[in-house]
Amino acid sequence: MPAEDPTQKLALAALDAESAINALRDGDASGRMSFSELFAYVNDPAFIVPGDFDARLKSTPQAQENLLRLMQKAAIISMPRLAAAATDGPVRREVEGAVLTLMTSKADADQLYLIIELTRTLPRLPKHIVVLSDAFGPRRLALPEFSDERAQIIIGAESEMALALMAPETEVFLI
Amino acid sequence: MTSSDIFILTTEGPVAIQRIVAEDEGLHSVICLDGRAEALPVSKAYHAFVQQPIGVIERFTGHGSYRMDVEGRIDEGQSWQLAALIAHVSDCTGETPTKTVFASGEVDNALNVRPVTKVPEKLGTVERFLSAREIDPTDAVIIIPADDTETPLSVAGVPVCKVKAVEEALSLVGLKMPSTSAPVSDSASDKVDKEKSAGFFRVGIVASIIAIALFWFGADISRWAALSKQGRLLELEQALAESDESAIGAIRVALYRQWLSLRLPPEDVVTFNGVVRTVGRDQDCASVDHARAPIFQDTSNSPKVCALEMSAFARDTGLSIVGRMAYWPEGLGSTDKPARVMRGSAGISERTWKIEFRTAPNPGTIVRLVAVIGDAEVRGAQPWYAALLSAPVDSSGFENAARRLLRLGYRVNATSWTYR
């Protein structure tokens, strides 16, 4: 559905209204997180994440559930929590359709290569990677253009994205 | 390499190459800005420049993945290649250039230095840079490609040297091209062989024999296979034509064409379908919902046609489809070029083309859809579309254009919608 689709806008407005009514009824109108904001976070590449996004999300369990559902619906590839703990070697997550690898740069040990390889033809190429982490909240990163079914990006080894990707209990979505 | 005595000439001023580090094989080579975790947009081109069979760096270093850090942004073009190659030679041999190097030039696969644009603008930035960096002009050299344009003999006391080959550039700064440490890639055709063999069991033995022969024919075949895999068909066609001029080259070309013929998609692999969107004769296309009818249904008694959607699907999802849809309001080829040409949606084995008619089509209007199908998405200039979109399917013009693609391992499918 196009971002400016009027039906979509109407539906989001209705969901926002319902959520506002629920919040008022529950006496929790402050710090509310609208459904349309969550929808934009997941679907709109141009959405700028507000500074208080994490805090508001953390304090709203319903919003967390909605975000997870939206993410599962929008994701081209979902990489669930890993069964085993990460090892000292390169971090690797492999699911049907994609392989994610983190490799330390030899040029700078403080930097990592995040590589995503697509192993089957997808309906479209992912634009973003989102990691859902209990420690940091959701972390989103724009992916570079895929070339030969592969995208590679450099991230800081201590960045929240890297730490979240290295943590086995996080969920990864390619959107 | 950590010295900053090799500079890439850019229109914004010389940019120092700060370091080159070999990364783990399997990583794509990147150019990063000043040690930061930021790969510059030219990284993709740098990766191609490094990795065999297209790239030249791996050929003499034996390694296919590097990170190069530069002091300033390089956003586009190929003119960074000469300075990058000099830096790689210095890094590989452990020899430092005898002079500070400012270089601009594109390097081809045969290690010729090819002309680049905006050389005067680049030279114009050097003088200010020299004084700001306190670089001794007598201990520096500017290296640019040899071409017909007039350039000064020196800039701020730094001699400007024109070169035709990498070898000349290296000798100017006391470096030598290392001997090739790695064999020229044996694998482009083998890789292709590994990736997609499922549909070719019936010719497996023949293909294997040809693959072995391709292996022994070396670099040209590898380069052609890489061009084919990247969908750069016009470049492939030109490269084959060049090689075809010599006797040995002609044998190689014939063998390679034989290989391509084995990889041709089946004739009936593409399916077309689509819909015509219409409204009543007195209605406005923008004001009411459209009725939809299958595209290949007779439209002779149809109401007003508002739009057309056509799709092409490959039944083998390992194949790529590209194509164009051309709108001929007065009939096929009735004017020099179609009124509109559509490129279609993004996709791999399935694409959709849409046209909304600004004015209702008249009887005789034709919309021609041409789908080109093969191993990779076709990139770059595609001159064959002129004939494929304008000529009748049974004409020699269409057949010649389709044959060009067939000889490159790609099959053409076309269909037309005619408003009667």
Side-chain angles (χ1 to χ4, degrees), chain B residues 120-136:
Chain B
E121 290 93 325
K122 290 170 185 170
L123 293 179
T125 65
V126 173
E127 186 166 357
R128 195 171 56 248
F129 184 82
L130 287 174
S131 55
R133 293 288 179 107
E134 297 180 348
I135 293 171
D136 179 1

Side-chain angles (χ1 to χ4, degrees), chain A residues 102-147:
Chain A
L102 277 179
M103 290 175 78
T104 305
S105 166
K106 284 188 172 170
D108 189 337
D110 290 336
Q111 294 174 10
L112 300 173
Y113 289 94
L114 164 59
I115 304 145
I116 293 164
E117 292 165 290
L118 304 179
T119 53
R120 68 172 157 84
T121 304
L122 300 175
R124 62 177 174 82
L125 295 173
K127 300 265 190 231
H128 280 90
I129 178 170
V130 179
V131 189
L132 290 188
S133 154
D134 292 339
F136 306 113
R139 284 293 169 268
R140 190 174 80 146
L141 185 66
L143 293 171
E145 195 180 327
F146 276 76
S147 170

Side-chain angles (χ1 to χ4, degrees), chain A residues 19 31-35 37-38 52-54 56-57 60 63:
Chain A
S19 143
R32 183 172 63 78
M33 183 155 259
S34 70
F35 192 84
E37 188 176 11
L38 293 171
D52 62 348
F53 185 89
D54 290 343
R56 284 187 292 132
L57 184 67
T60 322

Side-chain angles (χ1 to χ4, degrees), chain A residues 103-108 111 113 115 117 121-123 125 145-150 152-156, chain B residues 19 21-30 32 35-39 44 66-67 69 229 317 348-349:
Chain A
M103 290 175 78
T104 305
S105 166
K106 284 188 172 170
D108 189 337
Q111 294 174 10
Y113 289 94
I115 304 145
E117 292 165 290
T121 304
L122 300 175
L125 295 173
E145 195 180 327
F146 276 76
S147 170
D148 290 337
E149 311 296 309
R150 171 195 168 108
Q152 177 181 300
I153 191 167
I154 305 174
I155 58 177
Chain B
R19 64 173 174 175
V21 179
E23 291 284 16
D24 281 326
E25 290 281 7
L27 287 169
H28 280 197
S29 296
V30 288
C32 290
R36 293 181 222 166
E38 179 187 356
K44 193 174 167 185
Y66 288 93
R67 168 175 170 152
D69 281 279
K229 194 178 175 199
T317 53
I348 298 169
S349 56

Side-chain angles (χ1 to χ4, degrees), chain B residues 188-221:
Chain B
S189 56
D190 283 355
K191 280 179 189 166
V192 174
D193 193 22
K194 282 177 193 167
E195 284 167 10
K196 292 192 63 194
S197 60
F200 298 98
F201 285 127
R202 67 186 185 281
V203 289
I205 295 170
V206 179
S208 302
I209 292 166
I210 292 174
I212 292 163
L214 291 177
F215 174 86
W216 289 110
F217 273 118
D220 275 352
I221 303 273

